[in-house]
Amino acid sequence: MFLVTGGAGFIGSHIVDALLAGGHEVRVLDTFLDAAHRERPDYLDPRATYIEGDVRDPEVAARAVQGVDAVSHQAAMVGLGVDLGDIADYVSHNDFGTAVLLRALAARAFSGPLVLASSMVVYGEGRYRCEEHGLVRPGPRTPEALDGGHFEPPCPTCGRALAPESVPEDAPLDPRNVYAATKVAQEHLCTAFARETGATVTALRYHNVYGPRMPRDTPYAGVASIFRSSLAAGTAPRVFEDGAQRRDFVHVRDVAAANVHALQAGVPGAFNVASGTPRTVGDMAAALARAVDPSLPPVVTGQWRAGDVRHVFASPKRAATQLGFRAGEDFEAGMREFAEAKLRA
């Protein structure tokens, strides 16, 4: 029996589908949080067993983990959020919810694989190299620099321009917003659980996930969903900064496949889940606009958000060699599919 927490959501439901397609028995725990679900989704596969409840409720968590052999923990508040008014909700859903789940698993002497939905946000800024000083860790960008249109982080030692590189899993963790801090805490909690129980814990650090079933019209959605919602409303996507921020956009079906690989491999540690091909946010917005309505090309605003980072994209090598996972979805085809997909209310 596989348990998928948050299994009615964007990524979780695709994991459920992939497990069912492999002939596995699946149980879903989801609270159907209002911020994520305006109504019960119509894509839920009836072959799975559903528990509607909150992972933070000890009784619900205890019922959900009974008899399970493996867990994919996807339940969380996601995205950058609105402001610090969200801080307690993020900590409650992500960190306290994980703690309650881990306690329930420990009470059942769970020793099977536990896969945690982590995120590339744990890295903060990505990996940078200075011509003179080698690998460096730039500090947070200042409001003054951003207001002046200076978006690239400089070398903290000499102030020169930096060259961004792909981030490996052993890069230092440097969370730069509330959501990122909760993801780091989730990883640490799960690592402590593994150390105490002997269970295998795999943290999958998702990069920018896109695809069918993304929620619409919410500040908690990913940038792809925000752009798609704008285009659906007949408005050009508004790209912050100069649009040259580099990310790795990975299809949700690839993310689901990575979870299945991790659940079956039972390999401990952290792994990037990414396509391995960095693209700019402007590139992604343009590809989506071409697929939805070529008459609405992206508008580059020069605006910025506190807590955003400039470049972060991944090295997928470790996931390929140790989990046997390689992303396979084509970006342009994925954007065309996403352009036509129904967004979740």
Side-chain angles (χ1 to χ4, degrees):
M1 168 74 76
F2 288 78
L3 170 65
V4 182
T5 70
F10 167 44
I11 296 174
S13 65
H14 285 276
I15 296 169
V16 171
D17 289 353
L19 289 170
L20 290 170
H24 300 291
E25 187 178 2
V26 181
R27 179 184 298 154
V28 172
L29 171 61
D30 202 294
T31 190
F32 294 94
L33 192 67
D34 288 344
H37 300 278
R38 190 175 301 163
E39 57 195 26
R40 197 175 184 89
D42 59 5
Y43 52 69
L44 300 181
D45 193 312
R47 292 177 294 170
T49 302
Y50 293 87
I51 297 176
E52 184 171 348
D54 196 324
V55 71
R56 297 172 295 175
D57 183 329
E59 293 184 2
V60 171
R63 181 157 57 98
V65 303
Q66 190 168 6
V68 302
D69 304 301
V71 178
S72 176
H73 182 35
Q74 307 295 311
M77 278 187 69
V78 301
L80 191 58
V82 178
D83 53 38
L84 283 177
D86 293 325
I87 188 169
D89 293 329
Y90 272 102
V91 172
S92 178
H93 283 281
N94 297 359
D95 300 336
F96 180 67
T98 297
V100 173
L101 175 67
L102 295 176
R103 182 173 62 182
L105 290 169
R108 297 289 180 187
F110 175 82
S111 60
L114 167 64
V115 175
L116 170 69
S118 188
S119 171
M120 55 87 175
V121 297
V122 301
Y123 298 122
E125 280 288 354
R127 182 181 175 101
Y128 292 86
R129 187 175 297 274
C130 173
E131 247 182 33
E132 181 178 352
H133 297 101
L135 288 177
V136 297
R137 296 288 298 169
R141 298 176 296 168
T142 66
E144 293 77 18
L146 294 166
D147 283 338
H150 304 295
F151 302 121
E152 296 291 340
C155 174
T157 302
C158 66
R160 294 179 184 174
L162 299 173
E165 298 181 351
S166 60
V167 183
E169 288 84 351
D170 59 0
L173 303 187
D174 185 18
R176 298 197 175 184
N177 56 56
V178 168
Y179 173 59
T182 65
K183 283 292 160 184
V184 171
Q186 281 185 297
E187 286 198 18
H188 288 168
L189 289 168
C190 289
T191 298
F193 171 79
R195 189 181 303 119
E196 294 290 329
T197 64
T200 300
V201 171
T202 307
L204 298 182
R205 293 173 179 166
Y206 304 157
H207 285 250
N208 289 70
V209 188
Y210 73 95
R213 304 178 190 170
M214 288 191 86
R216 70 167 188 255
D217 303 328
T218 168
Y220 303 99
V223 66
S225 178
I226 293 170
F227 291 165
R228 171 74 168 77
S229 295
S230 295
L231 288 162
T235 304
R238 295 175 61 81
V239 179
F240 281 8
E241 301 186 17
D242 59 358
Q245 313 93 301
R246 290 192 223 176
R247 298 290 189 269
D248 189 304
F249 297 96
V250 58
H251 197 283
V252 67
R253 283 194 295 270
D254 281 327
V255 175
N259 272 266
V260 174
H261 278 274
L263 288 165
Q264 294 174 337
V267 178
F271 297 87
N272 288 320
V273 176
S275 72
T277 303
R279 291 178 171 86
T280 69
V281 173
D283 288 340
M284 187 274 288
L288 191 56
R290 285 195 300 271
V292 176
D293 186 346
S295 71
L296 294 173
V299 175
V300 177
T301 68
Q303 294 173 291
W304 54 273
R305 295 191 306 175
D308 270 348
V309 296
R310 181 60 175 174
H311 303 296
V312 54
F313 50 92
S315 168
K317 293 179 181 177
R318 189 172 184 221
T321 57
Q322 296 189 30
L323 294 182
F325 165 73
R326 292 172 178 81
E329 298 286 339
D330 177 75
F331 176 76
E332 291 289 343
M335 281 293 154
R336 288 193 297 271
E337 177 197 30
F338 183 46
E340 299 175 358
K342 177 184 177 183
L343 295 180
R344 192 175 78 239

